[in-house]
Amino acid sequence: MNSKFWLTTMFLMSRIGVLNANSRCHVTESSINGMYLKGHVFKKYCDLLPRECYFRCEEEVTCQSYNIIIGQNICELNNRTKEARPEDFMPDERRFYMKRSSNRVPLGSIKELPAKTCGEIEASEGNQIADGKYWIYSEESSEVIEAYCKESWQKINGEEPVCFGAKDNQYGSFNMTKSGRVKTMKLIHRCAAAIIFHPTGAAPTQDMEKI
């Protein structure tokens, strides 16, 4: 490949911007040379120039970012960003990484792009995530479910509070509808009293939070 052409292409790809009403260019994303996102490629194209890879990503609703293998014109479309999976953002001097610069669908906002957890959505979208319903994978299965997320937590009961009948010294109970293994649980109550939580087959624990 002509070196001047490649340098020009790299410059254009590393400074993708959008034009506002005043025709001023604002940089939205920059390519990151020598890095790539590993393990999240859902489509791969050969013999594509970097600018063509950019447009292929724009055409795919689930495309969140892409990797380019330099010198081989290989385009890899990812369904995650480095923010969602920082542990998979790896060095490779043959590649560069680019986050989708416009019209990116937020992770978990459509059924075709489910997240692994509410925490992954928060990592991907940052402060832009609002409490509400998102599409995530049901733990230990490939089933996609609509869950209510509050920050990085998945609310088992959804939007409405649950009354589990505890009164005075009497125990109450409630059912959790989520399948799979519960790693951490937080009970939020609306008074200053303590809650003693006795999960089946486990030692008693206590979790208090006032709202």
Side-chain angles (χ1 to χ4, degrees), residues 52-70:
E52 294 173 318
C53 189
Y54 164 80
F55 289 116
R56 288 296 176 94
C57 183
E58 291 286 314
E59 293 169 358
E60 296 284 347
V61 67
T62 58
C63 184
Q64 300 283 288
S65 65
Y66 56 89
N67 310 312
I68 292 288
I69 301 181
I70 300 171

Side-chain angles (χ1 to χ4, degrees), residues 64-114:
Q64 300 283 288
S65 65
Y66 56 89
N67 310 312
I68 292 288
I69 301 181
I70 300 171
Q72 298 182 35
N73 290 344
I74 294 178
C75 166
E76 299 173 333
L77 303 185
N78 302 315
N79 58 13
R80 290 294 187 274
T81 61
K82 67 179 180 64
E83 288 79 15
R85 292 298 183 89
E87 70 277 11
D88 296 328
F89 196 49
M90 310 292 289
D92 186 339
E93 62 183 13
R94 303 172 305 158
R95 287 177 163 92
F96 74 81
Y97 165 89
M98 184 76 187
K99 185 178 179 180
R100 183 169 179 168
S101 60
S102 63
N103 301 318
R104 186 179 64 83
V105 174
L107 183 62
S109 62
I110 59 174
K111 192 173 183 179
E112 295 80 7
L113 190 64

